[in-house]
Amino acid sequence: MIFTHDTKDNVLFIRLSGDLIGENNSADVIEVVTKAIQEKTKNCIVDISGLRYINSSGIGLHNTILTKFRNKGGEVYLMRPSETVQKLLVITKLNAIFQIIQSEDEVLKS
């Protein structure tokens, strides 16, 4: 998995691509999230349009991000899931837990 991140308008943007299968850089993602929350960032958009595959470790990473932000009164949005990932979100019923968006404007305008 490859990830990049930046912050804009008090929203943390994380972009994930490749296969999210619990690689060592998941800890790096959590470190970025923790630092953003410490800096009072309230919301996070995770662009998952570049993900080809997610396994249970990858789902765990998303759940950790969600828990950290919600514990501080924030929210996590998953942006543009591929068809394969969208099916996984439906099968696991995670689509009922995460807010799925198609563009960052949906969050930034609100």
Side-chain angles (χ1 to χ4, degrees):
M1 170 192 69
I2 298 170
F3 87 96
T4 60
H5 64 90
D6 63 332
T7 303
K8 180 171 112 179
D9 296 331
N10 204 30
V11 176
L12 174 63
F13 290 87
I14 299 174
R15 289 162 199 84
L16 304 176
S17 60
D19 296 333
L20 183 51
I21 55 174
E23 298 169 0
N24 293 337
N25 56 358
S26 291
D28 296 336
V29 175
I30 297 303
E31 184 178 322
V32 166
V33 167
T34 300
K35 183 177 178 192
I37 291 170
Q38 289 171 346
E39 294 172 354
K40 307 296 185 212
T41 302
K42 284 288 188 183
N43 296 307
C44 179
I45 296 175
V46 184
D47 183 348
I48 58 174
S49 61
L51 286 181
R52 294 179 300 218
Y53 177 78
I54 301 176
N55 70 3
S56 59
S57 294
I59 290 171
L61 173 63
H62 281 94
N63 287 338
T64 300
I65 294 169
L66 181 69
T67 300
K68 285 182 170 290
F69 272 96
R70 284 197 178 162
N71 283 344
K72 296 297 183 179
E75 189 57 67
V76 175
Y77 303 87
L78 300 182
M79 187 166 67
R80 293 189 296 259
S82 67
E83 186 176 333
T84 303
V85 172
Q86 179 67 34
K87 286 179 184 177
L88 176 70
L89 294 172
V90 170
I91 289 168
T92 58
K93 301 198 184 310
L94 289 174
N95 62 325
I97 297 171
F98 287 95
Q99 294 196 44
I100 311 297
I101 60 171
Q102 295 304 313
S103 76
E104 62 186 56
D105 289 338
E106 294 175 47
V107 175
L108 295 177
K109 287 181 180 177
S110 64

